[in-house]
Amino acid sequence: MLTGLRDTQEGEAARAAVARLRQLGRNFQYVYTECGLLRTTLNSLAHEMKTQQRVLREALDDAAALRFTVHADGTVTYPTGGEGLVDGAPLPGGTATSSGPPGLVPPSGLVAPNPNVAKAQDIADRVTGAVRAAAEIDWRYAGILRRLKAEEGLKVPDSTWKDAAGDAAEVRDAAGAYLKDAIPHDASPAERRDWWAGLTQEHREEYLAVYPDQIGNLDGIPALVRDAANRDNLQLLIGKLEGRDDEKSATQLAGLREIDRQLGAGAQPGEPPMFLLGISDEGNGRAIVSYGNPDTAKNVAAYVPGLNTSLDEGFAKNDLKHARDTAIATRDIDSSSAMVAWLGYDAPQLLDGKDSLAVMGDERAEAGGRSLNGFMEGLAASNENDDPHMVAIGHSYGSRTVGAATQQDGGIPGVDDIVLVGSPGVGVDHAEDLGVGQSHVFVGAAENDLVTKTPSKLQGNMGVAAGPIGYIAGGLMDRGDDDLWFGKDPASEAFGARRFQASPGPSVLTGGFEAHSLYFDRNGDNSLSSDSVALIVAGKADKINMEEPR
């Protein structure tokens, strides 16, 4: 409805209707979440009750087989049995009453001569224990249900989503044995895909309501499902962070709100739809956004940002724009294309105190590479095409992360081409070492991008001593060779990749480090690089404008 209004209607009334529909959509999302929590609470109650019902049923069956009578108060009447020691007459029957949980009542030391006494006592203990356990379960779940309620009114403010986050956490605790233990965290993406496909629709909706954070970030789950889960989890995260006064929460909250705004606005005419494939406040924040459905697209690319990237407003506005613009350009070439902005790791933060020197190390790249491989394996598993064309794009330190991913067992799953832009090195010295074939490695290096000229570790003593700023500024040094900080310069002849044209960008004297951020720019002369990236993603690499290696 929103798309139809935007495409066909103009004026104040249309704008008002769009605003009301967005609010209505937000309200329906909340209703869906809370109803899912209610259903899961009731199903979890039923799951726990079944255990006690089974205990009770077995006790009643045993009583019936022995011809005992179980009364409504849990007492058990047993018949005569055995023989008297003096006269041999049958010993009288009686009634057994449970005085507590089985095994907690100490023996009296006397042995009842009627053999039915011990059997009746056991049945009475089991009956009473099951009923008492059921009453405790009922009391516990009744409390949860009483707390599942919304504020009065027709709107769902952030405070209500904060309350919903607490509701979800409480239901998660209660539903652990019922749902959580079955989530295949240790399985392969293909096995997770099959697990999800084998669930009933009711179970799927329960997982989406109670565990949107886990289902939405589980590689191998279909993109439409992850998007639905993460849109819900996004609201829960906003509610969770709302009102916190620490800097990290405020920074991430601004990023989450901007992503929420873009999702609410929807795709504009000519733009691909937006899918939220991952969202989390872990570490510096996680966000994975696809422009175009990566499950149905034949061409799928994942863009890995680098230095100084975190879940903040800048990422939500700038890095997502890079992915969106590239997706639009790629779809102009081949409409069956999707572009993913992948912030699935903690990129080094240039001015972040204790972490600022991480930009000079490999640890973040190695950890990020493992996560990237899991994500790409998930995309390969859920893609519906027989042989999708998949591309990994690394920018800045993100290129080092892509390089690390290629060195793990089997390389990056499903990836056919690798694109490196603004790279300080990828951890290997030759394009052929990246596992996709030398002719399938593409490099963009702007002349004025100092990051692509960082000195090697042997030459970088000045940079290390001066900290990260000095490390990057070391690109002004005249090295006289083709070694960078993380290995051979990907744009060099010795590395052996295919270098495509990139605009030089402003010099460091007039534009600072701006040249490092223009590889995805679509404006004027700066589009040389972005045009090439789009052609590569669309599988038309033979049409890119080449540039001589350094």
Side-chain angles (χ1 to χ4, degrees):
M1 293 176 69
L2 282 170
T3 301
L5 274 172
R6 279 196 301 261
D7 291 349
T8 62
Q9 306 294 319
E10 295 181 358
E12 185 176 346
R15 289 192 293 273
V18 167
R20 292 291 294 274
L21 281 172
R22 286 177 180 166
Q23 181 62 58
L24 186 61
R26 182 177 171 89
N27 291 358
F28 279 145
Q29 186 177 7
Y30 174 77
V31 170
Y32 175 84
T33 298
E34 289 294 297
C35 286
L37 295 178
L38 283 166
R39 180 169 62 182
T40 301
T41 300
L42 293 173
N43 282 342
S44 297
L45 166 65
H47 178 76
E48 292 194 36
M49 283 294 191
K50 285 179 181 177
T51 301
Q52 304 309 321
Q53 287 176 327
R54 184 170 59 253
V55 172
L56 179 60
R57 188 177 300 110
E58 290 173 353
L60 294 177
D61 289 345
D62 289 346
L66 293 167
R67 299 177 182 272
F68 293 178
T69 300
V70 180
H71 302 282
D73 61 358
T75 59
V76 179
T77 298
Y78 55 89
T80 58
E83 297 179 351
L85 298 177
V86 177
D87 56 8
L91 297 172
T95 300
T97 302
S98 178
S99 56
L104 296 182
V105 181
S108 64
L110 302 175
V111 178
N114 187 337
N116 290 326
V117 173
K119 298 175 183 178
Q121 187 65 56
D122 173 64
I123 291 174
D125 287 342
R126 284 190 283 156
V127 168
T128 301
V131 172
R132 286 176 177 171
E136 186 278 329
I137 292 169
D138 178 77
W139 175 84
R140 177 158 44 88
Y141 279 96
I144 294 174
L145 289 170
R146 278 195 299 270
R147 289 186 288 276
L148 290 177
K149 57 184 180 181
E151 298 179 13
E152 297 286 343
L154 297 177
K155 293 186 177 181
V156 182
D158 288 338
S159 59
T160 300
W161 276 109
K162 181 179 181 181
D163 182 63
D167 293 342
E170 189 167 14
V171 175
R172 274 199 296 268
D173 291 340
Y178 171 56
L179 290 176
K180 182 179 180 180
D181 294 345
I183 299 176
H185 291 289
D186 296 330
S188 69
E191 291 169 335
R192 293 169 182 165
R193 175 202 60 201
D194 295 341
W195 167 77
W196 184 262
L199 294 176
T200 64
Q201 185 60 26
E202 183 172 350
H203 268 125
R204 291 176 186 173
E205 292 181 358
E206 287 183 302
Y207 276 114
L208 288 174
V210 183
Y211 296 105
D213 56 331
Q214 297 189 40
I215 299 302
N217 292 288
L218 200 61
D219 296 326
I221 300 297
L224 286 172
V225 176
R226 293 182 70 163
D227 178 64
N230 284 313
R231 286 175 186 251
D232 203 3
N233 190 37
L234 174 64
Q235 302 302 326
L236 297 176
L237 283 173
I238 290 174
K240 172 185 173 181
L241 299 180
E242 176 70 25
R244 292 186 179 180
D245 56 4
D246 60 288
E247 183 178 355
K248 175 185 174 182
S249 295
T251 297
Q252 292 188 353
L253 184 59
L256 294 172
R257 288 193 186 282
E258 174 58 22
I259 292 174
D260 184 43
R261 184 196 67 76
Q262 294 181 30
L263 288 169
Q268 301 302 313
E271 293 185 358
M274 186 175 176
F275 294 82
L276 188 59
L277 303 184
I279 197 74
S280 169
D281 61 347
E282 176 189 353
N284 292 330
R286 304 285 188 268
I288 305 172
V289 178
S290 179
Y291 293 93
N293 188 337
D295 287 352
T296 58
K298 184 177 180 180
N299 303 299
V300 182
Y303 150 59
V304 183
L307 175 65
N308 238 32
T309 310
S310 64
L311 178 54
D312 57 14
E313 192 171 12
F315 167 81
K317 288 184 175 180
N318 300 325
D319 289 279
L320 293 191
K321 184 178 185 301
H322 292 164
R324 182 174 62 251
D325 289 349
T326 303
I328 293 171
T330 303
R331 288 162 71 94
D332 285 342
I333 304 168
D334 187 335
S335 60
S336 184
S337 300
M339 179 73 173
V340 181
W342 186 84
L343 181 59
Y345 77 120
D346 281 332
Q349 302 300 298
L350 187 58
L351 302 176
D352 183 22
K354 62 183 177 125
D355 293 330
S356 63
L357 293 179
V359 68
M360 293 184 286
D362 299 296
E363 293 79 7
R364 300 288 180 90
E366 297 291 343
R370 289 189 291 272
S371 297
L372 177 62
N373 278 358
F375 175 74
M376 297 304 291
E377 186 178 357
L379 289 186
S382 60
N383 191 280
E384 299 170 6
N385 294 279
D386 292 335
D387 186 21
H389 172 236
M390 302 182 70
V391 183
I393 304 171
H395 173 240
S396 186
Y397 190 87
S399 67
R400 177 66 187 94
T401 302
V402 169
T406 67
Q407 299 308 295
Q408 296 174 21
D409 290 343
I412 308 179
V415 165
D416 304 289
D417 296 309
I418 290 176
V419 179
L420 311 168
V421 290
S423 177
V426 296
V428 300
D429 289 335
H430 303 285
E432 61 188 19
D433 296 333
L434 295 177
V436 293
Q438 180 176 340
S439 63
H440 291 274
V441 179
F442 303 88
V443 176
E447 182 59 31
N448 291 323
D449 180 2
L450 294 188
V451 174
T452 69
K453 299 179 180 181
T454 50
S456 69
K457 294 182 180 181
L458 292 176
Q459 297 168 315
N461 293 330
M462 180 276 287
V464 173
I469 296 293
Y471 142 68
I472 294 176
L476 292 171
M477 297 171 58
D478 180 14
R479 302 183 318 280
D481 62 21
D482 50 22
D483 290 326
L484 297 186
W485 189 265
F486 293 116
K488 198 69 68 178
D489 178 3
S492 69
E493 183 176 7
F495 190 81
R498 299 171 66 184
R499 186 185 181 188
F500 54 83
Q501 289 184 354
S503 62
S507 73
V508 68
L509 300 178
T510 60
F513 293 106
E514 186 180 352
H516 185 58
S517 304
L518 296 177
Y519 292 99
F520 302 95
D521 195 276
R522 301 292 302 165
N523 297 318
D525 293 339
N526 290 332
S527 65
L528 282 174
S529 171
S530 59
D531 288 343
S532 294
V533 173
L535 286 167
I536 295 167
V537 173
K540 306 293 184 181
D542 57 313
K543 296 183 179 181
I544 63 177
N545 294 316
M546 305 301 296
E547 186 170 354
E548 289 296 320
R550 290 173 174 167

